[in-house]
Amino acid sequence: MLIRIIVSAVLMIGLAFLPIDGLPRFFLYLIPYLIIGYDILIKAGKGILNRQVFDENFLMAIATIGAMIIGVVDSGDYVEAIAVMLFYQVGELFQSYAVGKSRRNISELMDIRPDYANIEEDGKLIQVDPDDVEIGTVIIVQPGEKIPIDGVVIEGQSSLNTSALTGESLPRDVRINDEVVSGCINMTGVLKIRTTKEFGESTVSKILDLVENASSRKSKSEDFISRFAKIYTPAVCYSALALAIIPPLFCMLILNSPANWSVWIYRALTFLVASCPCALVISVPLSFFAGIGGASKEGVLVKGSNYLEALSQTGYVVFDKTGTLTQGVFEVTAIHHNELPEDKLIEYAALAEIASSHPIAQSLQRAYGLELDRSRVSEVEEISGNGVIAKVDGQLIAAGNDKLMKRIGVPYSDCHKVGTIIHIAIDNEYAGHIVISDVVKPSSAKAMAELKKAGVQKTVMLTGDAKAVAQQVAGSLGIDTVYSELLPGDKVSKVEELLSSKSKRTRLAFVGDGINDAPVLSRADIGIAMGAMGSDSAIEAADIVLMDDDPLKIAKAIKISRKCLRIVHQNIVFAITVKILSLILVAFGAANMWIAIFADVGVMILAVLNAIRALFVKKL
């Protein structure tokens, strides 16, 4: 494109100094015209054949062909026709640069697609396509290689560079039994990993699919521009036709004066050039695309520009607690009222929770410290929001909160400590309780302060945890309202209450990471999921994914969205204002083709340059 612009510009300038007139002059000027504009003429022709006539290519083609014909009939000046095409292509070049820059921002994040997976056969490493690796296969990842598929470390220990996924510069240490996700780079030791997913279901594939499909979900602003262009383009074409025909006929038939057809046709062609809606049609989607690219660079994946637009109107932010505001890394901190030895009580609790992936269950299994024998466990019944009942070594073990004890009719002892309390009953006899505590994320308090700075009216925390624990966490973080001891269905009900109480223009965002958060993520105006350690169902249900699980990124995402919307509105107002003024001036003969070129290409270039600003994000 750049070569074509330079060649046609040089030829156009050079021909201006040649003393040639008539048809030879026309054919010489036709060369740079076709060099710079042949693709637009082809697109316009295809549009006419496909009955999709009214677009910017049609406007450019009609205007410039008309200007060339006027040049033959009138003065032999073809510079304006070539200049229209030339500057239009310059605008297209700016657009492609901006789109390319946005794509590069996204592709930097997306430079996580693994090329191969290592499988050991007969003592040798064989590189295979990740798509061909089945669940349960043992793969080997050497230092410097990307982890190709999600899995669990079965041998070795290492540090992982997760910056491509999360934006987090600190390496993550992993050892045997740790889960690892695809897209991370192995830095130090050799790892043997047993895959837990197929490549198509792995983290890296889902991220790539998420970003690649983001542009298909359009915002209200983009839909408005699309509808506007469909009405606006034929309207200005018919207006230009009327401008070319009605005034000359009025002069001839009513005023009995010369028609001056060439003057009015020239004005009509100039009107067409000035009216081209390129600045709107190009800059608005480009602004959203740049905004999504800028957010991706910061580790915030937005599934569509409609969600980016909705995020800018966020007034309520509702948080799940565990794994969202807290690290979700639970530790056993105390055991009370137990007659059995502590290690035996933990053993029974860990075995009862053997089928659960909940962080509480994992903390019990870590506290037990030995490999669990599944054959000892049978008749497992998980009761949502209460706990679990299972048979262990033939004994009926109930492990859960006070609701579970009430449900099975077992008297229990309250705990004076703040934390998650797991009561244990053996054969319907109380056996004591285990205290498990979570740790608040270092950035959670700052995240709440930044949300207030960003204009969020209300922050809310929903949790199934005990009231004392919830109140302590909410108080330490400065959260406005907290609801505790909720079942998954209760969270949906609370979100619906909040949705009904807010104003229509205000949007509610819910932030969560667990399997039981998926219904709430879907119900909220905007669902935000923790992507690094969040469940697959939460990530699927969410509209926005935070790749490093940092709640501080929520305020950053809101600021990015608001900046993007400001740019969109600036471009819309600027483009429409300049269009209206230039069309009025052209219609009354106060503006020539050069003014029209500025109204079209100049405005487009300025709007595109403004849109590029959405790529750049300030640090919090």
Side-chain angles (χ1 to χ4, degrees), residues 221-236:
S221 298
E222 286 179 286
D223 285 337
F224 162 74
I225 293 303
S226 298
R227 293 194 304 270
F228 173 81
K230 286 179 181 178
I231 298 168
Y232 171 83
T233 308
V236 295

Side-chain angles (χ1 to χ4, degrees), residues 44-269:
K46 287 180 178 178
I48 293 168
L49 291 174
N50 295 327
R51 296 182 182 179
Q52 295 177 341
V53 178
F54 299 111
D55 61 10
E56 64 269 21
N57 295 305
F58 176 77
L59 294 179
M60 289 293 103
I62 292 296
T64 54
I65 289 170
M68 292 292 283
I69 293 170
I70 287 173
V72 173
V73 174
D74 197 356
S75 62
D77 187 5
Y78 309 102
V79 172
E80 287 181 343
I82 299 169
V84 169
M85 285 290 193
L86 188 66
F87 285 109
Y88 178 78
Q89 297 287 30
V90 169
E92 291 289 299
L93 188 66
F94 271 92
Q95 180 207 350
S96 63
Y97 167 77
V99 170
K101 192 166 179 62
S102 299
R103 287 190 187 280
R104 281 194 297 276
N105 267 12
I106 293 175
S107 65
E108 284 172 9
L109 180 81
M110 294 300 99
D111 187 26
I112 54 178
R113 183 188 293 277
D115 300 316
Y116 59 87
N118 293 321
I119 295 177
E120 189 173 3
E121 287 186 10
D122 300 326
K124 295 181 180 179
L125 287 186
I126 298 173
Q127 293 184 355
V128 299
D129 192 320
D131 281 312
D132 298 333
V133 178
E134 297 179 352
I135 295 174
T137 303
V138 175
I139 60 173
I140 296 172
V141 183
Q142 300 180 100
E145 293 182 333
K146 294 171 191 167
I147 295 175
I149 304 167
D150 295 6
V152 176
V153 177
I154 62 169
E155 186 180 311
Q157 60 182 36
S158 182
S159 293
L160 302 182
N161 180 348
T162 64
S163 60
L165 284 175
T166 68
E168 177 58 56
S169 57
L170 287 175
R172 176 188 163 205
D173 293 330
V174 293
R175 51 184 57 84
I176 293 173
N177 294 328
D178 283 348
E179 292 185 3
V180 292
V181 296
S182 51
C184 299
I185 298 173
N186 184 19
M187 295 171 62
T188 52
V190 176
L191 294 177
K192 281 191 177 181
I193 299 168
R194 178 174 284 111
T195 61
T196 55
K197 296 178 184 175
E198 293 180 346
F199 177 67
E201 293 298 314
S202 286
T203 301
V204 63
S205 291
K206 291 194 173 184
I207 294 170
L208 290 164
D209 182 64
L210 185 156
V211 176
E212 285 165 3
N213 292 323
S215 60
S216 64
R217 299 178 178 92
K218 290 190 174 183
S219 66
K220 289 181 180 178
S221 298
E222 286 179 286
D223 285 337
F224 162 74
I225 293 303
S226 298
R227 293 194 304 270
F228 173 81
K230 286 179 181 178
I231 298 168
Y232 171 83
T233 308
V236 295
C237 287
Y238 292 128
S239 298
L241 185 63
L243 187 63
I245 294 172
I246 294 173
L249 289 177
F250 181 80
C251 291
M252 284 174 59
L253 302 176
I254 305 299
L255 301 179
N256 292 320
S257 60
N260 291 325
W261 287 97
S262 63
V263 171
W264 290 104
I265 290 173
Y266 178 82
R267 284 190 192 180
L269 296 173

Side-chain angles (χ1 to χ4, degrees), residues 55 87-88 104-105 109 115 122 147 150 251 271 321 370 394 407 443 445 453 486 490 492-493 501 515 538 562 589 602:
D55 61 10
F87 285 109
Y88 178 78
R104 281 194 297 276
N105 267 12
L109 180 81
D115 300 316
D122 300 326
I147 295 175
D150 295 6
C251 291
F271 188 91
K321 179 179 77 71
L370 300 174
R407 186 186 184 103
S443 62
K453 283 183 188 177
L486 300 175
D490 297 331
V492 177
S493 300
S501 66
I515 291 172
R562 289 178 179 169

